[in-house]
Amino acid sequence: MQAENILTEVRDNTLYITINRPKALNALSIKTIVEIDEALEEYMYHEDVKGVVITGAGEKAFVAGADISEFSDFTPEQGKTMSENGHDTFDKIESYPKPVIAAVNGYALGGGCELAMACHMRIASENAIFGQPEVNLGLIPGYGGTQRLPELIGKGKALELLLTGDSINAAMALELGLVNDVVPQSELMKRVQEILQKIYTKGPVAVSKIIQSVNAHYRSGSYVGDGYKTEISQFSACMDSEDFREGTAAFLEKRKPQFQGR
Ligand code: CAA
């Protein structure tokens, strides 16, 4: 079936998944995540595909987050399902047996930053902006951000970004180790292809076992650790709060939120 929200293409042994909702800055609707999952599933053991690139359509955004218009009236139960399903797909990316690189071509906020962090590597264009602004909505990250951000940049800096909701530019992301490299936007795909083509000359069995072994360190034996489960339950609990209703309504009405702490 033709996907509505992503474009897929196999070229030079690489599966390209392009999130294609430029009018909403490629925000991840629930259906978009399902389509990413299906594309990954289809090509997981496909002989022609040795690696994956995930990117966003256009020059402004990689992904500006989960689609706020879709979940602003969610109940905790719906929030839990949303978060669990997102975790399943992002875990699939992280444990994919072939290298997955995020080509971050602009805003990577909230679920977009989380999507990039689930990939094995991140190459950013100079205009890329990273952040976890969920706190501005009276919410927490729900697609692994509270776990993967500290893993990548350390606890102190991660807490600063998570608690302030501040965004950082590509140069700062490189300095913090959030991204592997920063290049001009016109060279983004060339740089990503260079890395993948180098990996394709190595033994695929070893490549997949390296990914598995590195992941094992962060999951201490069980694939989904306690931190990830805690995030799902706290994300859904936010949906019971007046702050979450106010935060998401304020975003959609393009005004500043008035949080009451309830
Ligand atoms: N969800 C839904 N729509 C979004 C969106 C999102 N995450 N981000 C942007 N859009 C929409 C805007 O509503 C706007 O739509 P209209 O043209 O219909 O008004 C369109 O995309 C363009 O956006 P802006 O006009 O806001 O563009 P800008 O250049 O002024 O600002 C931006 C860009 C700073 C990225 C701003 O759009 C923004 O702050 N977006 C939201 C970022 C965010 O909060 N992300 C976290 C989402 S929650 C989440 O991800 C939870 C989770 O972990 C699972």
Side-chain angles (χ1 to χ4, degrees), residues 3-233:
E4 273 172 45
N5 305 290
I6 63 167
L7 303 170
T8 54
E9 184 192 1
V10 177
R11 191 165 21 98
D12 299 331
N13 297 119
T14 301
L15 167 66
Y16 290 84
I17 300 178
T18 304
I19 294 131
N20 189 29
R21 305 184 70 218
K23 282 193 189 135
L25 302 187
N26 301 324
L28 286 181
S29 62
I30 286 164
K31 180 106 193 299
T32 307
I33 294 186
V34 170
E35 290 177 359
I36 294 171
D37 196 286
E38 287 170 353
L40 291 167
E41 196 65 41
E42 182 179 345
Y43 288 98
M44 193 177 291
Y45 301 110
H46 197 293
E47 276 184 9
D48 294 344
V49 170
K50 295 182 177 169
V52 182
V53 174
I54 301 183
T55 193
E59 296 189 342
K60 185 170 173 184
F62 173 69
V63 166
D67 190 329
I68 299 166
S69 65
E70 192 175 53
F71 67 75
S72 63
D73 62 352
F74 269 15
T75 62
E77 205 42 53
Q78 289 172 303
K80 183 164 178 274
T81 305
M82 169 187 168
S83 183
E84 280 173 346
N85 290 341
H87 273 240
D88 285 350
T89 298
F90 286 23
D91 289 347
K92 184 172 286 178
I93 294 171
E94 188 170 57
S95 61
Y96 212 61
K98 302 167 180 185
V100 184
I101 300 188
V104 183
N105 55 311
Y107 286 113
L109 298 176
C113 189
E114 292 170 296
L115 175 62
M117 291 192 293
C119 296
H120 301 131
M121 279 173 256
R122 286 146 293 284
I123 307 299
S125 58
E126 286 166 344
N127 66 324
I129 302 278
F130 295 82
Q132 296 290 159
E134 287 87 346
V135 71
N136 298 327
L137 303 168
L139 188 62
I140 72 167
Y143 292 157
T146 64
Q147 307 302 299
R148 292 192 179 99
L149 191 61
E151 277 172 18
L152 283 164
I153 69 170
K155 185 176 169 186
K157 206 67 196 173
L159 276 168
E160 181 186 328
L161 294 184
L162 290 162
L163 295 176
T164 61
D166 282 351
S167 298
I168 55 170
N169 63 21
M172 179 57 77
L174 183 63
E175 196 176 317
L176 293 175
L178 182 54
V179 299
N180 298 68
D181 202 359
V182 178
V183 294
Q185 189 156 52
S186 58
E187 287 169 32
L188 183 60
M189 284 306 165
K190 186 169 146 252
R191 179 75 188 110
V192 169
Q193 283 154 3
E194 247 169 40
I195 298 173
L196 282 176
Q197 290 303 328
K198 185 177 246 185
I199 298 173
Y200 297 165
T201 66
K202 319 294 176 191
V205 173
V207 165
S208 120
K209 291 197 181 308
I210 287 171
I211 293 168
Q212 206 184 332
S213 302
V214 172
N215 283 340
H217 172 77
Y218 294 98
R219 300 288 171 269
S220 33
S222 71
Y223 184 63
V224 179
D226 275 349
Y228 286 86
K229 286 191 186 138
T230 303
E231 183 187 274
I232 293 171
S233 67

